[in-house]
Amino acid sequence: MPANQASAGHLLRLIRSGQATTRGELQHATGLSRSTISSRLDQLFGAGWLRDTAAGASTGGRPSTRLEFDTSHAVVIAVDLETRHSRAAVLDLDGAVLAEHTEQLLIADGPDQVLDTVAGWFPALLEKAGVKASRVCGIGLSVPGPVDWAIGQVVQPPIMPGWDEYPVPSRVQEAYARHVDPMGPPVPVLVDNDANLMAYAEQRRFYPDCSAFVLVKVSTGIGAGVVVDGGPYRGIDGGAGDIGHIRLHDRTEALCMCGSYGCLAAVASGRAIAEQLAAAGIPTTSGSDVREHLAAGQPDAVRLAREAGRRVGEVLVTVVTLLNPGVLVLAGDLAGTPFLTGVRELLYQRAMPRTTAHLNVVTSRLGDQAALVGATAMVVEHLFAPARADLRLAALNNGG
């Protein structure tokens, strides 16, 4: 392995991935000398990023130990912004929730009000988690719209008025400093689409061996997250997976929130079903209300959810044929048995048998915490990627 591929940051990647978890395995994987390995591990231990764990019973002499990424040395603040409510949590680096808060909050109120309100929750969350501000290594935000991930900006979001190209990371940093840690260094802030983060969380947690993975979230809108070879696929500027705005030729009278007619989201989203139930005299104002009706077994909600699943299934035939995923997860307000049944009906009816022979169609296992866990994983993978980890270690060694 070339020298620049065996820095402390690269050793950490080998340890975190499980490819090499002892000093001997690191020597074998990198070709570095024992003294060089020890020197670089000292940097990682000094930063608090590693810990030794028992690897087995001792047979005499020095006990056998394995190296492990210490997921408790820092925390991430994760925020899941929805259209009508928001959720924030403090999580360890392995995605375990230490404290959580949920409150009604309209995304349509705009970024200034929403982000400042959410940042105002952070002090109480950290206190509840028993964590000092100095242990926060990053903040991850999940938003219900397309995101240009490289710059952290929401781009032309149909259901987020006022958010287009808004500088979310710098605004969150400013709000965090004002509410939590005025004298501390800027905290890294990363932003991504909610379906992307939910897909990332579900794939990493439950289907790590699945190299082509799709999650579809159906709530106020409809979006898909795609994970290929262990990483989110976002497209060139964050537009991948926006299946809610695929046009249905037989429903051109349905007006979508994006201003166009005939979009899938205008027909099969939680918002669309809420409107249909309300028109039938069943009090319903949102996808969350639809979820409650489904939980109660309300007949009209069940019927409409199954029909919505069939419409989404029509679109997913193309998605599945193109990507050939091993797992398709359904998430969001409608992700229950009626919707799942509708999707399966159309998918297995219309797609070629070869395409679905090894496809597992299931509902989300992380539920409402999926976006929080995914946002945390996004921050951790960014901060502890080899090159960035080396830069952070250098800053620590220089007293930064």
Side-chain angles (χ1 to χ4, degrees):
M1 178 180 289
N4 64 348
Q5 294 295 304
S7 65
H10 283 87
L11 296 188
L12 181 63
R13 180 175 65 178
L14 291 172
I15 294 165
R16 291 185 61 223
S17 67
Q19 297 177 66
T21 59
T22 67
R23 289 162 176 80
E25 289 173 352
L26 289 170
Q27 281 185 264
H28 179 74
T30 63
L32 297 176
S33 68
R34 185 177 183 85
S35 61
T36 301
I37 292 288
S38 294
S39 175
R40 293 179 181 174
L41 290 178
D42 285 344
Q43 296 179 57
L44 297 171
F45 276 109
W49 297 356
L50 286 186
R51 60 189 173 200
D52 279 320
T53 60
S58 173
T59 57
R62 184 175 181 178
S64 177
T65 62
R66 289 196 177 276
L67 302 164
E68 184 178 86
F69 181 55
D70 188 347
T71 58
S72 66
H73 82 268
V75 298
V76 171
I77 294 177
V79 178
D80 178 17
L81 301 180
E82 296 277 4
T83 54
R84 300 173 67 88
H85 69 273
S86 292
R87 180 178 291 104
V90 177
L91 301 93
D92 70 15
L93 303 189
D94 197 37
V97 175
L98 307 178
E100 184 176 352
H101 177 77
T102 301
E103 190 171 307
Q104 288 190 345
L105 189 61
L106 298 178
I107 199 78
D109 286 341
D112 285 321
Q113 180 173 334
V114 169
L115 295 177
D116 194 61
T117 298
V118 170
W121 303 341
F122 294 169
L125 274 171
L126 290 171
E127 182 178 359
K128 183 178 179 181
V131 172
K132 294 181 179 179
S134 59
R135 288 181 57 201
V136 177
C137 67
I139 300 172
L141 267 76
S142 164
V143 299
V147 175
D148 188 334
W149 190 81
I151 57 176
Q153 288 187 352
V154 182
V155 180
Q156 299 179 12
I159 59 175
M160 299 176 67
W163 291 77
D164 185 28
E165 297 186 0
Y166 185 88
V168 174
S170 60
R171 181 68 177 83
V172 172
Q173 285 180 331
E174 182 273 328
Y176 176 84
R178 179 157 40 84
H179 285 284
V180 180
D181 193 6
M183 304 304 293
V187 175
V189 177
L190 300 179
V191 186
D192 203 356
N193 168 262
D194 53 2
N196 287 346
L197 294 176
M198 294 168 72
Y200 195 37
E202 296 272 353
Q203 189 271 339
R204 285 168 59 93
R205 182 71 62 88
F206 303 113
Y207 310 96
D209 297 328
C210 181
S211 61
F213 179 96
V214 176
L215 178 142
V216 176
K217 179 186 179 185
V218 184
S219 291
T220 299
I222 301 175
V226 178
V227 179
V228 176
D229 292 335
Y233 177 75
R234 301 182 175 94
I236 59 172
D237 62 1
D242 203 3
I243 65 171
H245 300 287
I246 292 176
R247 306 286 179 82
L248 304 175
H249 296 298
D250 63 334
R251 293 301 302 271
T252 54
E253 82 287 354
L255 177 62
C256 183
M257 293 182 71
C258 72
S260 297
Y261 287 86
C263 293
L264 178 65
V267 175
S269 66
R271 175 177 176 268
I273 293 180
E275 291 175 348
Q276 294 175 64
L277 289 172
I282 301 167
T284 315
T285 59
S286 67
S288 296
D289 291 341
V290 175
R291 177 192 287 196
E292 293 179 5
H293 288 318
L294 289 171
Q298 206 285 330
D300 291 301
V302 170
R303 174 179 56 81
L304 290 172
R306 184 164 179 169
E307 291 177 5
R310 291 174 61 84
R311 299 315 298 259
V312 173
E314 290 181 47
V315 171
L316 290 179
V317 169
T318 301
V319 173
V320 167
T321 301
L322 177 65
L323 296 177
N324 189 209
V327 178
L328 169 62
V329 172
L330 305 177
D333 291 330
L334 301 191
T337 300
F339 185 81
L340 175 65
T341 300
V343 169
R344 284 176 168 166
E345 285 176 353
L346 255 291
L347 197 54
Y348 290 112
Q349 175 186 338
R350 301 279 181 86
M352 293 289 289
R354 171 68 183 83
T355 305
T356 57
H358 301 100
L359 176 64
N360 189 18
V361 184
V362 297
T363 55
S364 168
R365 294 170 65 178
L366 285 171
D368 289 339
Q369 291 188 341
L372 299 175
V373 175
T376 299
M378 169 180 64
V379 171
V380 172
E381 291 305 313
H382 176 73
L383 292 180
F384 294 96
R388 187 165 297 277
D390 288 331
L391 289 173
R392 295 175 64 213
L393 288 171
L396 289 172
N397 291 334
N398 293 327

